């Protein structure tokens, strides 16, 4: 087991390295001269050259890449071109709202989509199954921001139940915190839920056809126990896998959702950086998000062994 | 008019004991795109207390479906169960699912053919055995676990305490079938239905498992319905046998009578397909007897005897009229116009 | 039950058998039919729209800013008084083009890379690591980053979305090639001296057509969604081009006053994506039942 984890950890290194190469190349190839941008409008040619040399921008690609990678390994993601502050600081400063949004979204998704998928599988072919599956198809067809605006229109503007935009830290109290998070989380959860409900239905349906379900029924178990202590645990591996895949959707969706709901998180940081062409921030966030994604999927891989005792590494 | 309606079914359960389980005119059918399939057609039989009854027939003859009908596990729709199934006098046909559920696993239990796949692969053995106790008797914790361990001892699984915490994939096929038996009997049901319990097992293990079922039946005062296609299994374990063909009961007799003097050509054919063993224990010479022909489609009306197309004794009468199920000798009944000649084809 | 009852009872379902069979066939293909119908309607609208729409999509009407949907402007007008119906129809051309081109481009390039990967071990090792890397970067973020470093145009949007969708196709094609390579008939073909490209054309390509068609459909839907997200964030199609994403992006500041600027084109977009996805689901069930359990 420990050996497996270590091997699996080592296997993520090449993936992360590729991510680093991709991220670095994209921004290396970017048009525009970072040195000129940093130097500003009034700088002379020699001033720009100095900055270029100081930043190492005159060196060949591989040297620049290795320097950059070395810094990253030491936790130095460079500095914002505009504010001159370390990218990692800017990132950490904006982390709390993003983390809160991502967590509530995941919780909503798992609490709603998994039971919905299970019920749809149990009642396969019924109106409730069709309803859940229609919702899944529709949920997957709306862009996050349109769902966000629909929710704002209904719950904030028309009904006046929830705040339109903004973010309150948990320190301001739970109620303001959660009331600001409900709509963005729901908007973000929609496509995630569609994905998870669909897979849950498909895998539970498959499990329900297996022999051991017949055994469980012959024991006189209630439907609830049949579904949630036998069918669902047997369907857990594909469901967990798709939750892992969905995290990618989540991390991307965060950027859009934060824009719609004016949440001062990492997503806003990226959007602002794009508009300002602040490349080190884009690079940093891209790398960190990819790292988080790879790490979470590694965790899920390890989780498999607990979900299915037959899986052994 | 059908024969079975003219003749009342002979009382087959040994006299003096009320049957634990009694099936009267059980009909199980399925609505499919190709019409209604009558998989079990007007089948009646009784099981006496502490009796071991064998139910034999080729695959697809409806024997497993009678079991699922008794358990209330036939999906309806598309299935339909009609007639009467009485468990200790209580009617099960038409019983609400909620009530039926209370009986499953506590009053009637079932074990299945495939021990490799019939256990939940991701739940510990102990928890699976305990489940019926928790569901039906409200037991929990150490008490339930003690009962589970006791059951593992009864099914002769060594190191029971350790096994409770293992998973199905860590056990052999024979071991898994023992676990299934333990699980089925943990609530001391009145009836245990064993559907081909040894078919998937090695020959040596088969005998052990059959012996175990037999022993536990006596030990726990359970009636057993043993379903199999293998007359060899029947010979070793049951008291009485029912032979089914194409959804119908064709013969019923105490096991010794059935083997000594079968009254239905189909039974004769089945007996012929059992590898014969001579006195010295070596296989007898001669080819296995095969029954030629195919089983009639059950989604179409059948005239006459269902076995007629495959029967060498078939006459015009067989093809036109269904033979009545009637007593041919004391305790021995069959549905055949030519039962007196049935033995003749055996020697050929 | 008497014999005559059985006879009667049995005759009915057999009579209805063929009718039920047809009904079942139709039902199985309903999703494709419905999806295709909706999509055709939308495509038709975008094609004949200029003759249908009374208003020019670019004409500014300061007196009619943010007019609610009415008989005059059935989708209302935007912040500059431009007719939203004309703009939505016009935007459909851009969004649908992006979807179609990305679907085709990702399929063709992915097919090429997947074939190479399926046949050469060295290329496979390299390509798969790169694809793993690309797949580890959240889709929208990668597209945003690609857009951030290029000059915004419809072409760069297509390029960026193609890149992020590529890994899925490559993996799909690769898995098909690997499966088929295992099968005996390919072995036999190789032994008998048939040249590589013949194997490719006779065995590999026909087997990739079904899953690729399904995949291309899904990619087309995904591309339309991603285009709208990029444009909405200001990192997509140049703002002067009225793609669906851009129309909605312009409505952001006025949402409380004129919610229809986002909600109506958003719904049109969702219906389009839904129609394409329905077609994909239906095609998947028709062409490759094995895929039906995956997503």
């Amino acid at each position: 087991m420990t050996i497996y984890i270590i091997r699996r950890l080592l296997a993520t290194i090449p993936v992360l390295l590729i991510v680093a190469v991709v991220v670095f190349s994209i921004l290396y190839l970017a048009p525009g001269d970072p040195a000129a941008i940093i130097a500003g409008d009034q700088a002379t040619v020699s001033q720009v050259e100095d900055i270029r040399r100081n930043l190492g921008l005159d060196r060949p690609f591989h040297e620049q890449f290795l320097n950059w990678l070395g810094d990253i390994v030491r936790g130095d993601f460079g500095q914002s071109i505009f504010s001159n502050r370390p990218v990692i600081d800017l990132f950490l400063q904006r982390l709390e709202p993003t983390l809160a949004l991502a967590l509530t979204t995941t919780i909503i998704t798992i609490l709603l989509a998994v039971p919905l998928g299970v019920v749809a599988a149990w009642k396969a072919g019924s109106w409730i199954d069709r309803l859940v599956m229609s919702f899944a198809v529709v949920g997957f067809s709306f862009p996050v921001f349109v769902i966000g605006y629909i929710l704002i229109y209904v719950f904030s503007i028309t009904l006046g139940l929830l705040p339109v935009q903004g973010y309150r830290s948990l320190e301001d109290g739970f109620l303001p915190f959660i009331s600001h998070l409900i709509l963005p989380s729901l908007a973000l959860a929609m496509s995630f839920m569609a994905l998870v409900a669909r897979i849950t239905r498909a895998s539970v349906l498959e499990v329900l056809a297996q022999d051991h379900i017949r055994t469980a029924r012959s024991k006189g178990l209630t439907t609830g126990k049949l579904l949630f202590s036998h069918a669902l645990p047997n369907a857990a591996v594909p469901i967990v896998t798709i939750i892992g895949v969905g995290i990618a959707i989540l991390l991307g969706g965060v950027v859009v959702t934060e824009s719609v709901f004016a949440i001062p998180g990492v997503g806003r940081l990226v959007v602002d950086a794009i508009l300002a062409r602040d490349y080190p921030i884009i690079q940093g966030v891209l790398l960190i998000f990819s790292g988080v994604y790879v790490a979470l999927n590694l965790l899920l891989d390890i989780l498999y062994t607990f979900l299915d005792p037959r899986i052994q590494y | 008019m059908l024969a079975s309606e003219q003749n009342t079914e002979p009382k087959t359960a040994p006299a003096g004991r009320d049957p634990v389980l009694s099936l009267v005119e059980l009909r199980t059918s399925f609505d499919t795109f190709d019409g209604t399939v009558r998989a079990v057609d007007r089948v009646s039989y009784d099981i006496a207390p502490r009796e071991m009854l064998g139910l034999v027939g080729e695959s697809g003859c409806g024997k497993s479906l009678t079991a699922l009908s008794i358990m209330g596990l036939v999906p309806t729709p598309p299935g339909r169960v009609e007639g009467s199934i009485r468990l200790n006098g209580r009617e099960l046909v038409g019983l609400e699912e909620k009530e039926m559920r209370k009986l499953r696993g506590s009053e009637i239990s079932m074990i299945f053919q495939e021990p490799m796949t019939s256990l939940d692969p991701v739940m510990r053995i102990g928890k699976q055995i305990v489940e019926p106790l928790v569901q039906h008797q409200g037991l929990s914790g150490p008490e339930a676990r003690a009962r589970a361990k006791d059951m593992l001892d009864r099914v002769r699984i060594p190191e029971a305490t350790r096994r409770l915490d293992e998973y199905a994939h860590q056990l052999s096929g024979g071991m898994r079938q023992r676990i299934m038996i333990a699980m089925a009997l943990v609530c001391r049901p009145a009836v245990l239905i064993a559907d081909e319990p040894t078919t998937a097992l090695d020959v040596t293990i088969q005998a052990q498992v059959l012996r175990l079922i037999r022993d536990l039946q006596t030990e726990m005062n359970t009636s057993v319905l043993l379903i199999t296609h293998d007359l060899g299994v029947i010979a070793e374990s049951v008291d009485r046998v029912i032979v089914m063909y194409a959804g119908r009961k064709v013969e019923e007799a105490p096991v010794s009578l059935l083997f000594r003097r079968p009254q239905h050509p189909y039974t004769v054919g089945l007996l012929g397909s059992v590898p014969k063993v001579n006195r010295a224990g070596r296989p007898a010479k001669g080819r296995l007897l095969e029954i030629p022909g195919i089983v009639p489609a059950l989604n179409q009306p059948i005239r006459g005897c269902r076995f007629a197309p495959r029967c060498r004794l078939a006459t015009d009468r067989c093809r036109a009229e269904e033979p009545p199920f009637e007593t041919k000798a004391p305790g021995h009944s069959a549905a055949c116009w030519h039962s007196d000649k049935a033995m003749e084809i055996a020697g050929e | 039950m008497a014999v005559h009852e059985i006879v009667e009872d049995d005759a009915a379902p057999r009579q209805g058998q063929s009718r039920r069979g047809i009904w079942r066939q139709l039902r199985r293909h309903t999703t494709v039919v419905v999806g295709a119908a909706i999509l055709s309607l939308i495509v038709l609208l975008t094609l004949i729209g200029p003759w249908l729409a009374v208003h020019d999509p670019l004409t500014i009407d300061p007196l009619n800013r943010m007019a609610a949907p009415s008989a005059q402007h059935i989708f209302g007008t935007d912040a500059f008084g431009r007719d939203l119906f004309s703009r939505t129809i016009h935007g459909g051309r851009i969004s649908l083009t992006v979807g179609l081109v990305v679907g085709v481009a990702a399929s063709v390039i992915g097919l090429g890379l997947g074939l190479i990967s399926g046949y050469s071990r060295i290329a496979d090792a390299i390509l798969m690591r790169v694809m793993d890397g690309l797949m580890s970067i959240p889709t929208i973020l990668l597209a945003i980053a690609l857009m951030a470093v290029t000059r915004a145009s419809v072409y760069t949007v297509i390029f960026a979305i193609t890149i992020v969708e590529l890994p899925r196709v490559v993996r799909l094609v690769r898995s098909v090639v690997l499966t088929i390579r295992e099968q005996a008939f390919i072995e036999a073909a190789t032994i008998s001296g048939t040249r590589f490209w013949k194997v490719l054309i006779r065995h590999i390509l026909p087997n990739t057509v079904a899953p690729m068609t399904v995949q291309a459909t899904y990619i087309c839907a995904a591309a339309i969604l991603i285009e709208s997200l990029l444009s909405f964030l200001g990192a997509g199609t140049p703002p002067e081009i009225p793609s669906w994403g851009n129309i909605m992006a312009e409505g952001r500041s006025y949402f409380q006053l004129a919610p229809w600027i986002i909600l109506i084109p958003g719904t049109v977009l969702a219906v389009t994506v839904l129609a394409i996805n329905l077609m994909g689901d239906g095609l998947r069930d028709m062409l490759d039942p094995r895929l039906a359990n995956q997503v």
Side-chain angles (χ1 to χ4, degrees):
Chain A
M1 187 67 196
T2 325
I3 294 168
Y4 168 73
I5 295 173
I6 291 169
R7 241 193 311 141
R8 208 43 199 75
L9 262 173
L10 291 176
T12 60
I13 292 175
V15 175
L16 286 174
L17 209 62
I18 297 285
V19 172
V21 173
V22 171
V23 169
F24 184 79
S25 317
I26 291 172
L27 297 150
Y28 179 84
L29 298 171
D33 184 349
I37 296 173
I38 293 168
D41 291 343
Q42 267 101 52
T44 63
V45 175
S46 68
Q47 276 174 315
V48 174
E49 280 309 310
D50 284 344
I51 291 169
R52 196 190 308 282
R53 213 172 304 116
N54 286 337
L55 289 173
L57 293 175
D58 54 341
R59 308 242 187 85
F61 175 84
H62 66 273
E63 249 179 75
Q64 282 192 46
F65 174 69
L66 288 177
N67 279 336
W68 176 78
L69 196 64
D71 288 345
I72 297 224
V73 171
R74 282 191 296 271
D76 176 7
F77 286 83
Q79 289 181 337
S80 157
I81 294 177
F82 289 95
S83 66
N84 271 328
R85 298 184 49 203
V87 170
I88 193 73
D89 290 358
L90 291 169
F91 179 85
L92 291 175
Q93 215 173 39
R94 303 288 198 99
L95 188 59
E96 187 207 299
T98 304
L99 215 55
L101 178 62
L103 276 177
T104 40
T105 304
T106 312
I107 292 169
I108 288 176
T109 301
I110 294 171
L111 286 186
L112 286 179
V114 172
L116 279 178
V118 172
V119 170
W122 175 244
K123 294 275 173 201
S126 71
W127 64 270
I128 198 161
D129 175 30
R130 275 184 218 134
L131 195 74
V132 171
M133 284 307 104
S134 311
F135 156 78
V137 181
V138 171
F140 221 71
S141 303
F142 274 90
V144 181
F145 64 91
V146 176
I147 297 171
Y149 279 114
I150 291 175
L151 291 175
I152 292 178
Y153 184 71
V154 175
F155 291 100
S156 306
I157 298 178
T158 311
L159 298 174
L161 289 175
L162 292 160
V164 176
Q165 283 180 323
Y167 174 77
R168 292 282 178 285
S169 170
L170 196 50
E171 291 157 23
D172 302 341
F174 184 72
L175 209 63
F177 168 76
I178 205 72
S179 68
H180 281 84
L181 269 179
I182 288 177
L183 292 185
S185 304
L186 268 180
L188 187 50
M190 207 61 80
S191 52
F192 200 0
M193 284 199 291
L195 193 67
V196 173
R198 232 175 129 145
I199 293 288
T200 304
R201 178 187 179 274
S203 25
V204 169
L205 203 56
E206 210 171 287
V207 172
L208 284 176
Q210 289 169 5
D211 288 339
H212 63 85
I213 293 295
R214 191 182 52 186
T215 308
R217 291 190 65 199
S218 78
K219 290 199 271 188
L221 299 183
T222 57
T223 307
K225 275 196 188 160
L226 194 71
L227 291 177
F228 291 96
S229 352
H230 288 281
L232 190 58
N234 273 281
V237 169
I239 296 173
V240 166
T241 308
I242 209 67
I243 289 174
V245 172
I247 288 169
I249 300 179
L250 185 76
L251 291 175
V254 156
V255 179
V256 185
T257 313
E258 288 184 359
S259 272
V260 173
F261 290 93
I263 297 171
V266 179
R268 287 289 298 175
L269 182 70
V270 178
V271 173
D272 294 343
I274 290 164
L275 300 177
R277 312 222 157 208
D278 198 338
Y279 298 129
I281 294 181
I282 303 175
Q283 267 178 337
V285 174
L286 219 58
L287 267 181
I288 295 172
F289 272 26
S290 306
V292 168
Y293 178 63
V294 170
L296 283 175
N297 277 287
L298 172 64
L299 269 177
L300 293 181
D301 258 15
I302 295 166
L303 189 64
Y304 290 163
T305 54
F306 294 99
L307 294 174
D308 190 339
R310 285 166 299 180
I311 298 177
Q312 249 150 14
Y313 300 109
Chain B
M1 266 291 139
L2 288 175
S4 61
E5 287 174 17
Q6 297 165 345
N7 294 268
T8 43
E9 293 274 333
K11 201 80 187 133
T12 44
R17 288 191 282 174
D18 281 338
V20 176
L21 188 73
S22 170
L23 272 62
V24 181
E25 296 276 298
L26 177 71
R27 295 186 300 275
T28 305
S29 49
F30 287 94
D31 292 326
T32 69
F33 284 108
D34 300 319
T36 304
V37 176
R38 278 162 240 288
V40 177
D41 200 0
R42 293 160 289 147
V43 168
S44 309
Y45 55 82
D46 291 344
I47 303 177
R50 291 179 297 283
E51 187 190 18
M52 193 145 170
L53 178 68
L55 191 56
V56 209
E58 291 165 301
S59 53
C61 73
K63 55 192 194 308
S64 292
L65 261 175
T66 60
L68 290 176
S69 304
I70 296 167
M71 293 296 290
L73 289 178
V74 173
T76 49
R80 209 172 339 128
V81 178
E82 292 153 308
S84 166
I85 301 170
R86 282 174 182 276
L87 178 72
N88 285 323
R90 187 174 183 190
E91 181 58 56
L92 302 186
V93 174
L95 198 64
E96 260 181 75
E97 168 62 18
K98 207 177 140 196
E99 293 301 310
M100 193 64 224
R101 198 167 60 215
K102 288 182 189 158
L103 300 178
R104 281 201 289 264
S106 65
E107 292 295 313
I108 21 168
S109 291
M110 187 162 174
I111 56 176
F112 301 92
Q113 183 175 350
E114 306 85 4
M116 303 312 276
T117 51
S118 289
L119 288 168
D120 188 328
V122 306
M123 186 186 276
R124 288 179 204 281
I125 299 297
K127 187 154 186 239
Q128 293 190 58
I129 298 175
V130 159
E131 263 186 331
L133 289 172
V134 176
Q135 184 76 50
H136 300 296
Q137 300 181 0
L139 291 187
S140 62
E143 203 182 344
R145 196 178 158 89
R147 285 276 293 274
K149 193 209 164 269
D150 172 56
M151 275 318 295
L152 286 196
D153 290 337
R154 280 171 188 265
V155 297
R156 294 163 210 157
I157 286 183
E159 295 178 86
T161 315
R162 184 167 64 89
R163 294 296 182 192
L164 287 176
D165 291 320
E166 290 193 340
Y167 291 96
H169 72 273
Q170 292 165 290
L171 307 172
S172 68
M175 202 92 100
R176 287 188 213 188
Q177 198 59 296
R178 286 163 193 269
I179 302 278
M180 286 293 293
I181 295 169
M183 208 158 71
L185 293 178
V186 74
C187 288
R188 293 180 166 269
V191 178
L192 170 70
I193 302 172
D195 188 2
E196 305 269 7
T198 58
T199 309
L201 303 174
D202 288 346
V203 185
T204 45
I205 310 287
Q206 276 189 10
Q208 288 176 18
V209 169
L210 280 175
R211 165 117 283 210
L212 180 69
I213 294 177
R214 186 89 243 203
D215 290 352
L216 285 173
Q217 185 225 345
T218 331
E219 209 177 304
M220 303 185 84
N221 283 326
T222 304
S223 301
V224 176
L225 175 63
L226 179 70
I227 299 172
T228 180
H229 66 278
D230 184 352
L231 277 171
V233 166
I234 290 287
E236 286 169 35
S237 33
V238 308
D239 306 312
R240 210 153 48 85
V241 187
I242 285 168
V243 182
M244 275 184 77
Y245 182 75
R248 291 285 277 153
K249 181 170 82 169
V250 295
E251 186 161 4
E252 176 168 351
V255 70
S256 53
L257 264 180
L258 187 92
F259 275 78
R260 210 173 324 129
R261 195 173 163 74
Q263 297 281 350
H264 197 285
Y266 175 63
T267 313
V268 176
L270 276 184
L271 286 168
S273 57
V274 178
K276 287 203 181 70
V277 179
N278 63 17
R279 287 253 171 89
R282 282 191 293 271
K285 279 180 187 155
R287 212 161 48 85
L288 281 181
L289 187 75
E290 274 173 35
I291 311 174
I294 48 158
V295 185
L298 296 177
N299 60 346
Q300 271 151 44
I302 299 164
R303 268 171 71 85
C305 174
R306 287 161 195 235
F307 190 58
R310 294 171 75 184
C311 182
R312 272 186 277 172
L313 297 173
T315 56
D316 286 345
R317 188 185 193 190
C318 298
R319 283 180 278 270
E321 268 180 89
E322 185 173 13
F325 191 82
E326 54 191 11
T327 309
K328 306 284 180 184
H332 194 160
S333 320
C336 180
W337 294 117
H338 307 294
S339 54
D340 49 332
K341 283 183 246 160
M343 282 297 279
E344 288 173 16
I345 56 171
E348 290 168 23
Chain C
M1 198 185 281
V3 171
H4 65 273
E5 280 179 51
I6 299 178
V7 176
E8 270 179 16
D9 209 33
D10 202 62
R14 258 191 299 160
Q15 216 175 33
Q17 190 184 328
S18 59
R19 228 178 302 148
R20 266 195 245 179
I22 292 166
W23 185 77
R24 200 161 36 152
Q25 282 290 315
L26 254 177
R27 231 200 92 149
R28 190 183 297 162
H29 300 267
T30 319
T31 45
V32 185
V33 176
V34 171
I38 299 173
L39 190 64
S40 314
L41 190 73
I42 290 164
V43 171
L44 197 71
L45 264 179
T46 61
L47 288 179
I48 64 165
W51 290 277
L52 254 181
V54 262
H55 306 277
D56 182 88
L58 300 174
T59 304
I60 291 168
D61 182 359
L63 295 177
N64 240 332
R65 299 174 65 229
M66 291 186 267
S70 64
Q72 252 268 298
H73 301 279
I74 57 168
F75 284 5
T77 62
D78 71 3
F80 297 95
R82 293 174 296 197
D83 180 56
L84 265 179
F85 181 68
S86 317
R87 284 180 74 72
T88 304
I89 282 177
H90 197 83
R93 292 182 166 191
I94 293 138
S95 295
L96 285 170
T97 308
V98 169
L100 189 70
V101 175
V102 170
V104 172
S107 302
V108 171
I109 301 170
L111 179 66
L113 292 177
L115 289 176
I116 295 170
S117 183
Y119 261 92
S120 152
R121 268 166 207 274
I122 302 165
D124 185 47
I126 299 168
L127 268 170
M128 280 305 115
R129 292 295 82 71
V130 174
M131 293 302 144
D132 282 349
L134 281 180
M135 282 179 101
S136 303
I137 308 174
T139 314
I140 298 169
L141 280 179
L142 180 58
I144 288 173
L146 287 167
M147 287 309 295
V149 299
T150 49
R151 191 180 298 277
S153 76
V154 177
Y155 301 107
T156 51
V157 169
I158 289 172
F159 166 76
I161 304 176
T162 304
I163 295 280
V164 299
E165 292 293 327
L166 204 52
R168 284 202 273 169
V169 190
V170 177
R171 282 175 161 243
L172 178 76
V173 176
R174 174 178 178 267
S175 72
V176 174
V177 175
L178 290 182
T179 316
I180 294 168
R181 208 172 56 172
E182 296 300 313
Q183 285 166 17
F185 64 85
I186 294 285
E187 246 169 72
T190 321
I191 292 163
S192 71
T194 316
R195 294 232 299 273
F196 167 74
W197 63 269
K198 277 192 180 167
V199 177
L200 187 77
I201 288 168
R202 284 206 195 137
H203 302 298
I204 308 270
L205 284 182
N207 278 292
T208 47
V209 168
M212 287 264 298
T213 312
V214 176
Q215 189 76 356
T217 317
Y218 289 143
I219 288 177
C220 180
I224 293 176
L225 274 176
I226 297 175
E227 188 281 328
S228 79
L229 294 177
L230 291 176
S231 299
F232 181 78
L233 292 174
T237 317
E240 64 275 12
I241 300 173
S243 75
W244 284 337
N246 275 334
I247 299 171
M248 291 187 270
E250 284 168 14
R252 287 178 68 172
S253 323
Y254 317 102
F255 183 71
Q256 304 224 22
L257 293 168
W260 55 85
I261 304 177
I262 289 178
L263 298 187
I264 293 178
T267 308
V268 173
L269 182 147
V271 170
T272 310
V273 171
L274 181 71
I276 301 174
N277 277 332
L278 282 180
M279 275 182 66
D281 286 355
L283 282 174
R284 179 193 61 196
D285 296 343
M286 274 166 65
L287 296 174
D288 194 351
R290 274 180 301 124
L291 280 172
N293 284 331
Q294 304 164 13
V295 164

